[in-house]
Amino acid sequence: MVIAVLVTSVAAFVVSAAWYTGFGPVWARLSPAGAAARPSPWRLGAEFARTVVLVVAFALLARAVGVDGVAGALGLALLVWAGFPVVVLAGSVLHERVPVPLAALHAGDWLVKIAVVAVVLGAWQ
């Protein structure tokens, strides 16, 4: 399981990095923090650690509810995505005046990332 977690974490980290690289100009336009964000070793390490936590949590949840295979993992990923990051991001729009396009940008990253996690872990089984 350790190898699966590491491989999945690397894949999700790379996809997320590609997301924000591709949407970097949009992110910079929508957010002062996005405009100021610069990769640094500690940020990359922290982001990779966050990704490992996501992968481990997803793997344990999938095991606990008896999900196996890519299709089941993708279904769980969609449920997790809608139930957690989307709800949190909607709260930031409602209560903190985060612009909807910025929340949507982050929600898109979460959707792609959790889908990659589901596909890699689901295929690993």
Side-chain angles (χ1 to χ4, degrees):
M1 171 137 157
V2 172
I3 294 173
V5 166
L6 289 176
V7 168
T8 305
S9 297
V10 168
F13 178 82
V14 168
V15 166
S16 185
W19 178 270
Y20 283 107
T21 298
F23 287 104
V26 174
W27 187 27
R29 189 178 73 247
L30 295 171
S31 167
R38 299 287 177 260
S40 66
W42 77 267
R43 282 180 201 234
L44 295 173
E47 190 58 39
F48 187 73
R50 285 173 16 111
T51 303
V52 171
V53 169
L54 169 68
V55 171
V56 169
F58 188 87
L60 292 173
L61 180 61
R63 181 186 294 168
V65 299
V67 168
D68 61 352
V70 173
L74 280 170
L76 180 61
L78 188 58
L79 182 64
V80 167
W81 174 75
F84 295 100
V86 169
V87 169
V88 170
L89 289 164
S92 71
V93 169
L94 273 167
H95 302 292
E96 298 176 18
R97 298 184 182 165
V98 170
V100 171
L102 180 59
L105 176 72
H106 295 315
D109 169 58
W110 271 102
L111 179 60
V112 171
K113 184 176 354 195
I114 198 84
V116 167
V117 168
V119 168
V120 176
L121 287 179
W124 203 278
Q125 296 173 337

